[in-house]
Amino acid sequence: MRKITICTLLIFAVLIQSCKFESEPTVKCYAWLSDLNDADDAILKKKFKKYKSEGIFGLMYNGGQNAEVYKRLGKIAKDAGLEFHAWIPTMVQADTSKIDTTWYAINGKGESAWNKPAYVEYYKFLCPNREEVYEFLKGMYLEMADVEELDGIHFDYIRFPDVILAEGLWKKYNLVMDREYPQFDYCYCDKCVNDFKQKTGINIKEVEDPSQLKEWKQFRYDLITNIVNRLSKEIRKKNKKVTAAVFPGPNSVAKRIVRQEWDKWDIDMVLPMHYNDFYLKDTKWIGAMCKEAVAARKDSIPIYSGLFICPKPSSKEKEKDPENHGLLPEELDDAISESIKNGAAGICLFTPERMTDKHWKVFRKAVRKQY
Ligand SMILES: [Zn+2]
């Protein structure tokens, strides 16, 4: 009798062990999340526990510039076993009393992103060349970095406005972006124009087609790289990781359309937004972008492949707005597999709230496979 009991116990132990083994994800997965500042603790606890059990490792949470929000939600996320990062836009800033209207970027037609933003009302980009802008951002990020519950700071909109829009968005904005147009090209503020002149001897305002001038491109890549690296240095002093959501590439997309030379950024993780439908591409393209990213980052910091999820798969075909497109459940396994096989350290979902039951079913398996 005793032998049987021991035997049964052993079998149970083996079973429990193997179940546990099966339930541990092999793919590290982050998720971008927002709009839960007002949710109560019980709802957040339930939500975060679900994400953890599905296989999510950490959250990039956009809670605005409010340290108290990150403190409360961060505590609940940590209790659920999740990493927690504050996801806060960098160059895009709504005007507040802390920001002077003269700090906003100026386009090639001399218009300010403050009162004449490109494409959409919220595209109020600051000029990355202004010391006042750096000081404002430093103060804001360091205040957040003091929150004990945070693992890191996640930059977004750390770039210029899209001088060329991703092709999948042309219809939405009724544009054909066959070249760079001055109304979408930044920054031509006095400081940028003068600094460039001093550096190269060229008056950019007198150049007929600034898009052909390599030095002018590099000048603006460097402005973004410089502000990233300066902010990163300060934030890391507070023992927080620094990560960024970036455009794919960097060479094929990010540098070309938003002037992000992110292979030169001194940060801890890069999360390229491989939103294939915005570029009218399939999941193979996601793999190609991961390969390019890994090759570009010779220092081997981890690349997390950002995946854009379709919130209503059954009506995707009829949906005109690309914001409602994205990966269908039947594409998700491929998208994850393409990412990991091409060198990504993991993935990041945009967003878990857009995931349908069918998406979760595919996800659960896909992040637990051996690649
Ligand atoms: Zn400027």
Side-chain angles (χ1 to χ4, degrees):
M1 185 63 193
R2 186 169 219 164
K3 264 188 189 164
I4 292 170
T5 315
I6 290 170
C7 236
T8 318
L9 278 174
L10 270 174
I11 289 167
F12 266 117
V14 169
L15 277 176
I16 288 166
Q17 199 55 37
S18 67
C19 281
K20 200 179 156 198
F21 179 72
E22 270 176 22
S23 71
E24 286 298 322
T26 52
V27 175
K28 203 164 166 184
C29 178
Y30 286 90
W32 283 292
L33 191 66
S34 61
D35 299 313
L36 293 170
N37 291 9
D38 299 327
D40 66 36
D41 287 12
I43 288 176
L44 292 168
K45 259 182 210 169
K46 199 175 159 202
K47 204 180 267 297
F48 291 176
K49 270 190 182 160
K50 175 190 160 61
Y51 293 160
K52 178 70 186 175
S53 72
E54 295 286 9
I56 303 267
F57 179 82
L59 300 174
M60 304 295 172
Y61 184 72
N62 182 353
Q65 298 174 7
N66 185 342
E68 286 307 310
V69 165
Y70 296 112
K71 206 170 170 52
R72 182 172 79 92
L73 272 68
K75 167 87 172 66
I76 298 169
K78 307 300 279 185
D79 288 347
L82 294 163
E83 253 189 31
F84 195 71
H85 300 246
W87 161 28
I88 309 172
T90 310
M91 299 317 301
V92 168
Q93 296 290 336
D95 47 357
T96 70
S97 58
K98 290 180 186 168
I99 297 172
D100 194 278
T101 55
T102 60
W103 301 353
Y104 286 89
I106 305 288
N107 70 16
K109 290 175 84 177
E111 299 161 337
S112 169
W114 167 60
N115 59 1
K116 235 184 159 195
Y119 312 112
V120 279
E121 206 35 56
Y122 80 89
Y123 251 38
K124 292 178 188 290
F125 278 77
L126 297 170
C127 167
N129 195 23
R130 301 285 297 244
E131 199 54 23
E132 305 93 319
V133 167
Y134 168 72
E135 286 299 330
F136 162 77
L137 292 171
K138 186 177 90 172
M140 183 269 289
Y141 282 123
L142 288 186
E143 190 193 332
M144 303 304 139
D146 276 334
V147 174
E148 204 183 308
E149 287 77 5
L150 282 177
D151 291 289
I153 298 288
H154 184 56
F155 298 149
D156 193 11
Y157 291 98
I158 177 72
R159 59 179 176 89
F160 281 97
D162 328 41
V163 66
I164 307 265
L165 273 185
E167 207 177 331
L169 292 167
W170 292 5
K171 235 188 227 167
K172 178 174 176 176
Y173 295 101
N174 202 17
L175 291 165
V176 176
M177 305 200 81
D178 48 350
R179 64 178 178 87
E180 294 187 9
Y181 290 95
Q183 63 267 42
F184 307 116
D185 187 22
Y186 295 81
C187 175
Y188 292 79
C189 78
D190 290 346
K191 174 136 176 47
C192 286
V193 171
N194 291 336
D195 285 2
F196 185 65
K197 175 114 196 265
Q198 214 160 43
K199 199 168 181 188
T200 62
I202 302 166
N203 180 351
I204 195 61
K205 285 192 164 175
E206 286 171 359
V207 174
E208 198 179 324
D209 184 1
S211 73
Q212 298 303 311
L213 204 63
K214 266 191 203 153
E215 295 91 332
W216 181 227
K217 282 189 204 296
Q218 190 62 50
F219 177 78
R220 290 173 294 170
Y221 302 156
D222 292 346
L223 290 182
I224 298 290
T225 299
N226 193 29
I227 205 162
V228 169
N229 292 351
R230 289 177 76 193
L231 290 171
S232 175
K233 197 175 167 192
E234 295 301 320
I235 295 165
R236 280 167 160 178
K237 281 184 193 160
K238 299 210 175 237
N239 288 322
K240 302 294 180 194
K241 284 203 172 96
V242 179
T243 65
V246 297
F247 275 48
N251 294 308
S252 51
V253 182
K255 279 163 76 175
R256 197 168 51 82
I257 76 178
V258 292
R259 323 230 187 257
Q260 286 176 324
E261 197 176 32
W262 53 255
D263 45 320
K264 292 193 179 161
W265 296 2
D266 192 10
I267 56 176
D268 301 297
M269 280 160 41
V270 185
L271 293 82
M273 297 173 278
H274 294 149
Y275 300 173
N276 56 303
D277 279 330
F278 285 79
Y279 302 92
L280 309 176
K281 302 285 186 189
D282 59 13
T283 52
K284 279 262 172 264
W285 174 85
I286 294 176
M289 288 299 103
C290 287
K291 201 171 185 176
E292 182 184 334
V294 172
R297 287 293 325 199
K298 294 180 189 78
D299 55 0
S300 72
I301 66 160
I303 306 287
Y304 289 88
S305 176
L307 304 179
F308 196 73
I309 303 298
C310 178
K312 286 185 189 152
S314 57
S315 56
K316 180 178 169 180
E317 289 297 313
K318 283 177 264 158
E319 187 56 63
K320 282 197 181 124
D321 189 347
E323 301 286 345
N324 293 324
H325 293 171
L327 295 164
L328 299 168
E330 54 268 36
E331 295 172 304
L332 188 56
D333 179 78
D334 248 0
I336 295 172
S337 161
E338 280 289 337
S339 301
I340 304 306
K341 285 179 178 165
N342 284 289
I347 58 161
C348 187
L349 296 176
F350 187 94
T351 70
E353 301 284 275
R354 292 164 71 106
M355 296 273 279
T356 62
D357 288 345
K358 278 188 181 166
H359 280 111
W360 283 121
K361 200 176 167 196
V362 176
F363 175 85
R364 237 172 272 142
K365 275 193 189 164
V367 299
R368 288 172 172 83
K369 274 196 219 166
Q370 294 297 329
Y371 289 94

